[in-house]
């Protein structure tokens, strides 16, 4: 855990010590949540949309916090039995503590960004690196300005590598995260259209992702998807080395003879002068890309061919991201974590690659597309019809555009419903043993809610 002395807190946060109970104090760790805080911790009073940590200071100290960081001077602070530091901005202070702590460790820090596949790729990289190193990785989806520092503050001397995910909702945010994590390796998966509503254009999204590459110093290495022109172009912004990966392009890390079906993924992996057969439990070509990113990082940090091969084979998938579930005579692909145009297209393609049984889809809509909403949903509808899928059920709006476009493109079995229950009932009435069902939609639609209807079947 991240321990700090009083002078270290002052140095890291440029804060001023207002009151102290004992000058030799050593905080055992940093926390922002009074529900989980442990005795001896340093509590940072963050301000969120719905809460203000300053109102929980008493509670934190009652639970044993030995110090607190605040951005407001209140008289009551003089009474509390803990060290009190005053800073201008508590969020910035939290981030600065994380950076200070990260600098204590001379280990590879790998940051992953991109429009889709960050969590899956991060997980794949961690699984591969775990063949040689003890790896700390981002928990859940903690990929923002609070989640990233939180991960870094968990570093201890036990860890030999750290893999973090970086998400963004606007320009400048990846730069801010990179300044905290100071990654030694930056991976960019792709540039799609997620958050286009906020950023206006794909060029802007590319610019935002490129901030990770720009943050690398001369010793840094950018791992770039060569098959994505927006990502490939980021090489120009890199002060350090670039390692490319891809299937179509002639990248140093590439996959040949790719086979994706219900048995998983097989390909011949070429990694500079090395070559090995890779087998990954998962479906869809996107997992080949994620594997290649993991191989690139593995190679950079010195894994053997065998370790990379074994690491890929041990990848177990990521919950709710194309997770394969066998439920009685049916197979479900639970991809309900989220959806955007790139991952939706990818999911449809992955389903199309399966060779056995009928292909069914139960889809919610894709959010945050703004003016692109109708056209992006219609595009998916056409793709579904063109791929010859058997049955489509869409839930609510804007997924109705998918249904309408699929019908217009000649697909017969298309149903629109308005509740999860209705979706499950409709599916129950049409499903047959041997069928595979893709369940996907933006987080707001919670499409996983239809799964319990089938669990005991
Ligand atoms: P978020 O922005 O929500 O954190 P993320 O970038 O972490 O998303 P994942 O959670 O890994 O992405 O995956 C989201 C969806 O994209 C899943 O449906 C997954 O199956 C699909 N996916 C994973 N990797 C890729 C890829 N390389 N290209 C396209 N789609 C992918
Ligand atoms: Mg994620």
């Amino acid at each position: 855990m991240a321990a700090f002395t009083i002078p270290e807190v002052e140095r890291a946060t440029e804060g001023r010590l207002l009151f102290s109970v004992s000058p030799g104090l050593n905080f055992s760790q940093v926390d922002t949540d009074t529900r989980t805080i442990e005795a001896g911790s340093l509590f940072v009073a963050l301000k969120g949309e719905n809460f203000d940590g300053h109102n929980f200071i008493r509670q934190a100290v009652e639970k044993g916090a030995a110090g607190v960081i605040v951005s407001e001077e209140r008289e009551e602070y003089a009474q509390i039995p803990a060290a009190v530091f005053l800073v201008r901005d508590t969020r910035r202070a939290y981030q600065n503590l994380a950076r200070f702590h990260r600098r204590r460790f001379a280990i590879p820090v790998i940051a992953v960004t991109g429009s889709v596949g960050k969590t899956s790729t991060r997980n794949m990289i961690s699984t591969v690196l775990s063949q040689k190193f003890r790896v700390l990785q981002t928990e859940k989806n903690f990929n923002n300005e609070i989640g990233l520092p939180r991960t870094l503050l968990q570093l201890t001397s036990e860890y030999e590598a750290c893999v973090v995910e970086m998400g963004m909702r606007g320009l400048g945010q990846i730069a801010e995260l990179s300044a905290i994590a100071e990654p030694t390796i930056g991976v960019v998966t792709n540039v799609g259209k997620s958050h286009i509503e906020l950023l206006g254009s794909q060029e802007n999204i590319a610019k935002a992702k490129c901030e990770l590459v720009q943050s690398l110093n001369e010793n840094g290495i950018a791992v770039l998807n060569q098959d994505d022109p927006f990502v490939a172009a980021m090489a120009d912004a890199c002060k350090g080395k670039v390692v490319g990966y891809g299937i179509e392009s002639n990248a140093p890390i590439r996959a040949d003879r790719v086979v994706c079906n219900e048995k998983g993924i097989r390909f011949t992996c070429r990694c500079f002068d090395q070559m090995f057969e890779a087998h990954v439990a998962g479906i869809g070509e996107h997992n080949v890309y994620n594997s290649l990113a993991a191989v690139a990082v593995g190679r950079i940090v010195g894994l053997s061919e065998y370790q990379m091969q074994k690491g890929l084979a041990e990848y177990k998938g990521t919950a709710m991201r194309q997770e394969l579930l066998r439920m009685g005579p049916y197979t479900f692909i639970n991809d309900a974590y989220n959806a955007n145009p790139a991952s939706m297209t990818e999911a449809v393609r992955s389903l199309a690659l399966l060779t056995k049984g009928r292909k069914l889809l139960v889809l919610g809509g894709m959010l945050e597309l703004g003016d692109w909403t109708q056209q992006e949903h219609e595009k998916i509808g056409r793709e579904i019809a063109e791929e010859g899928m058997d049955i489509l059920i869409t839930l609510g709006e804007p997924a109705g555009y998918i249904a309408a476009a699929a019908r217009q493109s000649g697909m017969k079995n298309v149903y629109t419903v308005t509740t999860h229950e209705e979706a499950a009932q409709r599916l129950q009435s049409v499903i047959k043993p041997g069928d595979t069902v893709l369940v996907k939609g933006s987080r707001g639609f919670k499409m996983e809610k239809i799964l319990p209807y089938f669990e005991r079947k």
Side-chain angles (χ1 to χ4, degrees), residues 118-120 122 140-141 143 165 321 337:
K118 296 181 288 296
T119 300
S120 315
R122 179 202 92 205
K140 296 183 186 153
N141 205 34
N143 63 14
E165 174 173 342
R321 282 102 168 160
Y337 179 71

Side-chain angles (χ1 to χ4, degrees), residues 105-243:
F105 305 95
I107 58 172
V109 173
I110 300 106
V112 182
T113 195
S115 292
V116 269
K118 296 181 288 296
T119 300
S120 315
T121 303
R122 179 202 92 205
N123 235 338
M124 193 92 90
I125 293 172
S126 301
T127 313
V128 168
L129 296 194
S130 297
Q131 298 299 317
K132 182 167 174 166
F133 301 112
R134 278 163 300 184
V135 183
L136 173 70
Q137 69 160 318
T138 300
E139 248 180 83
K140 296 183 186 153
N141 205 34
F142 295 153
N143 63 14
N144 66 9
E145 70 279 6
I146 306 295
L148 177 83
R150 182 187 155 128
T151 305
L152 294 172
L153 285 164
Q154 280 160 21
L155 274 171
T156 65
S157 54
E158 241 178 74
Y159 293 110
E160 298 161 311
C162 177
V163 190
V164 294
E165 174 173 342
M166 292 185 174
M168 65 97 199
R169 299 178 67 79
L171 283 167
Q173 292 182 358
I174 300 282
E176 185 182 323
L177 298 178
S178 302
I180 303 166
E182 299 185 340
T184 56
I185 300 174
V187 181
V188 186
T189 61
N190 47 46
V191 171
K193 288 195 176 144
S194 38
H195 304 315
I196 197 157
E197 192 180 24
L198 299 166
L199 282 122
S201 68
Q202 230 170 336
E203 283 73 18
N204 269 352
I205 297 175
K207 224 193 250 177
K209 307 290 178 199
C210 190
E211 290 166 2
L212 170 59
V213 177
Q214 283 163 333
S215 81
L216 299 167
N217 65 22
E218 296 71 23
N219 301 317
I221 303 180
V223 172
L224 302 177
N225 177 354
Q226 289 300 119
D227 290 352
D228 182 317
F230 283 109
V231 179
M234 292 179 193
D236 295 339
C238 186
K239 295 189 271 299
K241 260 195 265 167
V242 172
V243 174

Side-chain angles (χ1 to χ4, degrees), residues 16 82 87 115 150 156 163 180 211 238 274 345 363 384 396 398 414-415 434 436 442 447:
R16 187 157 58 88
V87 299
S115 292
R150 182 187 155 128
T156 65
V163 190
I180 303 166
E211 290 166 2
C238 186
Q274 298 170 312
T345 297
L363 302 180
I384 290 169
V414 180
Y415 306 93
T436 300
S442 274
M447 295 307 291

